[in-house]
Amino acid sequence: MNRHELRESIFKIVFQIPFYGAENMQEQTEVDIESLKLLAEEPLSEEDKIKLSEKNEQYIKDKVQGIVSHIKELDEKITEAAKNWELERLGKAELAILRLASYEIIYDEDIPRAVAINEAVELAKEYIDEKAGAFINGVLAGVE
């Protein structure tokens, strides 16, 4: 898996937090990783196969755990940056993307700020719509 695919998998797991609760995300992460492993084993074309190495699996787990363990701080930073927007008004996909990118901006020294923002904008365009990318970009510009 490349970094974008890893980030997309993490986004899909983080998206589930409002549904399962942060306290259940370790178990849900395991379920989702098992699904990714099964997908990799199915007879798919080479371009559709997802390779989930142990390193990538650990990367996903660590990133989700980091987001979950800092969720309160991340939500505060997002609220500060999203002037006049309360978290409850944000769509679940927007919130998941903002949490992931904010975590990368604040806590992940291996990810340059511009990369985190660009990837978040791309996820927003792919999973929401073109306009969402501009909103995500604007909010993340204010996250410190």
Side-chain angles (χ1 to χ4, degrees):
M1 296 179 93
N2 63 38
R3 288 286 179 152
H4 179 76
E5 292 168 332
L6 287 169
R7 196 172 274 108
E8 187 174 29
S9 296
I10 295 164
F11 155 70
K12 290 176 180 177
I13 296 169
V14 172
F15 175 83
Q16 299 173 67
I17 292 173
F19 303 103
Y20 292 102
E23 66 278 0
N24 297 314
M25 287 315 297
Q26 183 173 0
E27 181 180 336
Q28 192 57 42
T29 302
E30 293 292 339
V31 169
D32 289 347
I33 286 174
E34 288 306 312
S35 295
L36 286 171
K37 287 179 182 177
L38 288 174
L39 181 61
E41 294 171 6
E42 290 180 11
L44 300 171
S45 68
E46 283 303 311
E47 64 187 44
D48 290 336
K49 275 193 176 182
I50 296 175
K51 294 186 175 151
L52 188 63
S53 67
E54 287 182 27
K55 181 180 175 183
N56 289 344
E57 181 179 339
Q58 193 59 52
Y59 182 85
I60 292 170
K61 288 178 181 179
D62 291 346
K63 187 82 64 139
V64 170
Q65 182 56 40
I67 292 166
V68 169
S69 66
H70 293 290
I71 200 157
K72 184 177 180 194
E73 297 95 340
L74 294 172
D75 287 353
E76 288 172 1
K77 295 288 188 181
I78 293 166
T79 300
E80 289 172 20
K83 296 173 178 54
N84 302 319
W85 281 84
E86 295 185 25
L87 289 182
E88 296 79 29
R89 288 185 58 208
L90 294 175
K92 304 257 187 290
E94 286 94 340
L95 182 56
I97 291 168
L98 287 168
R99 283 173 169 166
L100 170 55
S102 295
Y103 176 81
E104 290 181 337
I105 290 168
I106 298 167
Y107 298 104
D108 193 336
E109 295 174 5
D110 294 335
I111 308 289
R113 178 184 188 88
V115 171
I117 293 172
N118 184 57
E119 286 287 335
V121 168
E122 291 304 313
L123 284 172
K125 288 178 182 178
E126 184 175 349
Y127 285 93
I128 307 164
D129 62 33
E130 287 291 323
K131 293 178 185 176
F135 174 74
I136 295 293
N137 187 40
V139 173
L140 291 175
V143 171
E144 296 177 16

